[in-house]
Amino acid sequence: MDDDALTKVALTCPNMEILDVSSCLSLTEAGIASILEVCNQIRNLQFEKCPLIKHIGEGSELPNVEVVSAVGSVINDEGLAVIGSRCSRLLKLNLDFCERVTTDGIQAMVKTCRSLRGIQLKKCLQVSVYSLNSLLLSRGVKWTS
């Protein structure tokens, strides 16, 4: 699937609540951003193993997004900041195998997403879970590494 195909899906299904575009190797940030503009009811967003997606694109708040899974993606701290600013009601975030995410990015996002309750950080080599421990526990966030 590429950006054009995803845009057609968005126009056909504007009320979708779950979007899983995992392993879509041609999909870019522009494609994700365009579908989120049209489909603002999405609760669960998965873009695992998508090598061209560093973030979900700028835009209006996405108040319904509760789960984001970016396992094995190239998301970075900038991408986390975008998720944090757009998904204020995020409950669960899976960043397993996201090698570009750092401790600073996680800290900034956790401070923004006050409703976050779970985060997965397996094989995030630039994240020091020990330095995050007190921040995550103080916010009631359960994490696995």
Side-chain angles (χ1 to χ4, degrees), residues 24-106:
C24 291
L25 305 179
S26 300
L27 194 60
T28 70
E29 295 149 0
I32 290 291
S34 69
I35 199 164
L36 292 174
E37 286 286 319
V38 176
C39 302
N40 58 10
Q41 298 300 312
I42 290 177
R43 293 180 296 109
N44 184 322
L45 174 61
Q46 298 178 36
F47 55 97
E48 300 176 357
K49 300 176 186 168
C50 292
L52 302 177
I53 300 175
K54 292 181 184 173
H55 58 77
I56 61 172
E58 300 292 333
S60 58
E61 184 176 351
L62 301 166
N64 297 310
V65 175
E66 297 176 343
V67 177
V68 172
S69 185
V71 174
S73 72
V74 293
I75 193 166
N76 57 20
D77 291 348
E78 178 186 341
L80 287 179
V82 172
I83 290 172
S85 68
R86 295 190 71 192
C87 305
S88 62
R89 296 189 179 131
L90 186 67
L91 297 173
K92 295 179 183 177
L93 177 64
N94 189 339
L95 298 172
D96 287 348
F97 302 97
C98 292
E99 297 175 358
R100 298 176 186 204
V101 170
T102 70
T103 302
D104 292 340
I106 299 291

